[in-house]
Amino acid sequence: ALAPRCGWVLPGLEQRLAVPAAVSPATARPYAAAAAKAAKKDAKRSRQEKAKEAAKEKPLPRRRPLMSKPVDDVYLTWLYRRPSYGLEQAVGMLKRFQELDFTHPKQFVYINVFLDMALQKKKKVDPFSSGVALPHRFTDEVNKVLVFTENEQEAEVAREHGAAIVGGVELIKWILEDEIQADFYVAVPAIIPKLIPLRNKLKKKYPSTRRNSLGSDIPKMVQFFRECHEYSVEDESVIKTRIARLDMPTEHIIANLKTIIQDICTFKPSNFDPIVQRLVIRSSTSEGLLLNLDGILPQVEKAEEKEEEEDAADKDEQKPVQESIST
């Protein structure tokens, strides 16, 4: 059959054309999904708000206070306060642990120092690093010291006292390109204006009077930094460093620990809370022992009280003299 020409309409086509086009489910689906998603978000938000309100209204559960000392040898640690020990007692326990465990007698002794870096008005002490001369050395390691000077006589003195690298501004390029590296950098005052390009590179190791790495006494600075013990703040408020070997006499270990703690305490003004909050000592193979801070931290308050007492005594002595003069 031939297809109809103009004016001809196939049977049933006229009815199809007359029926208005309905919206297909496929085209309506995105709008319905978006509405359902928004409704789910609103419901979830309302549930979260109700949960928060219920949590505020509900009183906090009362925790039982931790008990002080267990009676048995085996106990649940979370039910008891962590015991603290005197410094001499803790060192003796570490030595005893080594004998019972048959571990190496010359293993290192470590301390973990937890700090309070807060100051007033939301300020805090910036993380720092420092070097300290320990009264009893426990390793034969020698630090690599670089000395900045353009004076030939000073350079010769630095080499004689053990400086690993000595030079002037010609070293700047090699340091920036990591061709030269050292543990400590020392400089004389005459050359410090020329070392400004190294400030961002060296950061805390940049020579400064605060770190005793800027001065004219080259032999003293080189000797100090070749043998000093370096430590630094990690994770914003923790210092982890070794202080001695376990086979050293107990009094030597205690002296090294107190020297480091006293140096740490200098980084926060004494009119604030002590910077050292907790102190843990351990050996390479032992558990950590919490130390009692009494007798370890510098006695700042007692010194202030003594000054006040001395001032009061001076005033009392002056009173009789004034009275005698008036009479």
Side-chain angles (χ1 to χ4, degrees):
L2 297 176
R5 294 189 178 183
C6 295
W8 290 61
V9 180
L10 293 174
L13 182 59
E14 188 174 358
Q15 295 178 358
R16 295 178 185 176
L17 294 175
V19 177
V23 179
S24 64
T27 55
R29 191 173 300 149
Y31 301 100
K37 190 174 182 181
K40 286 183 179 179
K41 284 186 177 180
D42 294 339
K44 185 177 180 180
R45 191 178 297 116
S46 63
R47 286 197 300 268
Q48 290 177 350
E49 291 176 355
K50 290 180 180 179
K52 288 181 181 179
E53 292 177 359
K56 289 181 180 179
E57 295 175 357
K58 186 177 179 181
L60 296 174
R62 294 183 60 185
R63 292 188 60 183
R64 295 179 59 186
L66 295 177
M67 293 177 280
S68 59
K69 189 176 181 180
V71 179
D72 299 324
D73 295 336
V74 180
Y75 57 93
L76 297 174
T77 56
W78 56 271
L79 287 177
Y80 297 88
R81 296 192 191 99
R82 185 175 181 179
S84 61
Y85 305 94
L87 184 51
E88 188 172 353
Q89 179 187 7
V91 174
M93 292 174 65
L94 295 182
K95 291 178 177 289
R96 183 60 178 162
F97 293 159
Q98 181 271 322
E99 295 175 356
L100 295 175
D101 296 337
F102 297 99
T103 55
H104 200 282
K106 293 187 177 183
Q107 58 187 290
F108 288 115
V109 178
Y110 297 84
I111 56 172
N112 294 352
V113 189
F114 300 88
L115 308 177
D116 177 13
M117 309 284 276
L119 297 173
Q120 61 183 1
K121 295 182 180 179
K122 297 183 179 180
K123 295 181 180 179
K124 63 179 183 178
V125 180
D126 295 328
F128 55 87
S129 61
S130 179
V132 59
L134 296 178
H136 306 283
R137 295 197 67 201
F138 58 91
T139 177
D140 295 331
E141 298 175 2
V142 177
N143 299 316
K144 187 177 179 181
V145 182
L146 184 149
V147 178
F148 289 107
T149 180
E150 292 180 324
N151 186 300
E152 288 297 330
Q153 294 180 352
E154 293 177 341
E156 187 63 27
V157 171
R159 294 189 188 95
E160 290 177 357
H161 286 81
I165 304 170
V166 183
V169 293
E170 71 275 3
L171 299 178
I172 295 177
K173 177 184 177 182
W174 302 109
I175 295 173
L176 292 174
E177 296 178 355
D178 293 328
E179 295 292 335
I180 293 178
Q181 293 180 349
D183 297 317
F184 295 97
Y185 299 83
V186 172
V188 295
I191 198 175
I192 198 67
K194 302 178 182 179
L195 302 181
I196 294 177
L198 293 176
R199 186 182 292 274
N200 292 333
K201 178 68 176 179
L202 299 182
K203 296 181 180 179
K204 295 179 181 179
K205 293 188 176 183
Y206 188 78
S208 67
T209 54
R210 174 68 181 83
R211 292 176 54 86
N212 298 319
S213 56
L214 176 61
S216 302
D217 194 344
I218 293 178
K220 181 179 178 180
M221 292 190 296
V222 172
Q223 182 180 0
F224 172 78
F225 286 107
R226 286 182 79 244
E227 300 178 355
C228 77
H229 176 74
E230 187 180 22
Y231 65 87
S232 60
V233 177
E234 305 174 8
D235 302 326
E236 299 294 332
S237 61
V238 181
I239 295 175
K240 301 178 181 179
T241 184
R242 57 188 185 181
I243 63 169
R245 290 188 182 272
L246 195 57
D247 64 333
M248 293 172 58
T250 299
E251 56 271 19
H252 291 185
I253 299 175
I254 292 175
N256 284 358
L257 184 145
K258 288 186 175 181
T259 301
I260 295 176
I261 295 300
Q262 289 177 359
D263 188 71
I264 293 172
C265 291
T266 60
F267 285 88
K268 188 175 182 180
S270 58
N271 55 336
F272 291 94
D273 293 334
I275 190 171
V276 177
Q277 293 296 299
R278 284 192 300 137
L279 179 59
V280 176
I281 188 171
R282 64 176 181 86
S283 66
S284 300
T285 58
S286 75
E287 62 178 289
L289 302 176
L290 182 64
L291 292 177
N292 188 345
L293 296 178
D294 294 338
I296 298 178
L297 300 183
Q299 302 297 322
V300 178
E301 296 181 357
K302 291 184 178 180
E304 293 177 353
E305 291 176 359
K306 287 182 179 179
E307 291 178 359
E308 293 178 356
E309 291 176 357
E310 291 175 357
D311 294 340
D314 293 339
K315 290 180 180 179
D316 294 338
E317 291 177 358
Q318 293 173 1
K319 283 181 180 178
V321 175
Q322 293 175 357
E323 290 176 356
S324 62
I325 293 173
S326 61
T327 55

